[in-house]
Amino acid sequence: MSKSYISTKLRKLVSDRAQNCCEYCLIPESLTLVSHQVDHVIAEKHGGKTTEENLALSCSLCNQAKGSDIASIDLETGDVIRLYHPRQDQWRENFQIEESSGVIYPLTAIGRVTIQLLKINRSACLPYRQMLAQAKILVQK
Ligand SMILES: [Zn+2]
């Protein structure tokens, strides 16, 4: 799928706004081997625009798992629930991090489907997130 060109200026705005951390799983770009990517929160094929309000910084693993999806099935209720929207939702209202483990728990159905679809608790992330949470330097919006 072809993607719209994202200018250097727009990419910098998105990275700076996110403090260089994935806006889904919170992992800082400095801890990853692959650069974070600019994610269309609502994918272009669903009409999402290449504008600040529809862009988020995502690590390559979250971005790959999310693909062009905008919703998933909540396994607890069977309902179709939209994914977390970093520009419209508050991270802290939808997720909570357990400092002792680095695991992110959902506070809402939106949190639940997003954690599940994006595989936010992938094991490779946990030691880093645990360390950053305990040092109180995770960016949680
Ligand atoms: Zn991520």
Side-chain angles (χ1 to χ4, degrees):
M1 193 176 74
S2 70
K3 293 222 171 177
S4 290
Y5 172 74
I6 295 168
S7 69
T8 305
K9 189 180 164 194
L10 192 52
R11 184 175 294 273
K12 181 174 177 356
L13 181 149
V14 171
S15 295
D16 288 352
R17 182 173 63 187
Q19 296 176 250
N20 301 306
C21 296
C22 175
E23 296 191 73
Y24 298 100
C25 76
L26 309 182
I27 292 294
E29 186 166 30
S30 56
L31 291 181
T32 61
L33 296 174
V34 181
S35 297
H36 281 11
Q37 300 166 354
V38 177
D39 165 53
H40 282 79
V41 181
I42 304 297
E44 293 182 279
K45 78 174 188 187
H46 298 292
K49 301 271 192 304
T50 305
T51 55
E52 312 179 14
E53 302 77 35
N54 188 45
L55 297 176
L57 194 67
S58 173
C59 72
S60 62
L61 296 175
C62 284
N63 203 23
Q64 188 175 35
K66 180 169 175 279
S68 62
D69 293 352
I70 57 175
S72 189
I73 310 270
D74 182 356
L75 298 180
E76 281 193 18
T77 63
D79 294 338
V80 176
I81 302 288
R82 70 173 176 85
L83 297 177
Y84 171 70
H85 192 307
R87 298 282 74 76
Q88 294 172 10
D89 302 322
Q90 298 294 313
W91 199 91
R92 288 172 181 275
E93 287 178 7
N94 292 284
F95 307 99
Q96 187 169 37
I97 184 161
E98 183 181 72
E99 287 185 10
S100 61
S101 63
V103 171
I104 291 175
Y105 290 99
L107 298 174
T108 60
I110 287 174
R112 207 154 49 229
V113 296
T114 304
I115 288 169
Q116 171 198 310
L117 188 79
L118 273 59
K119 303 179 173 68
I120 278 178
N121 288 313
R122 63 187 82 87
S123 56
C125 273
L126 298 183
Y128 296 109
R129 213 157 45 217
Q130 176 193 31
M131 177 185 77
L132 296 167
Q134 289 175 353
K136 312 280 186 208
I137 50 175
L138 270 185
V139 178
Q140 300 170 55
K141 292 186 177 170

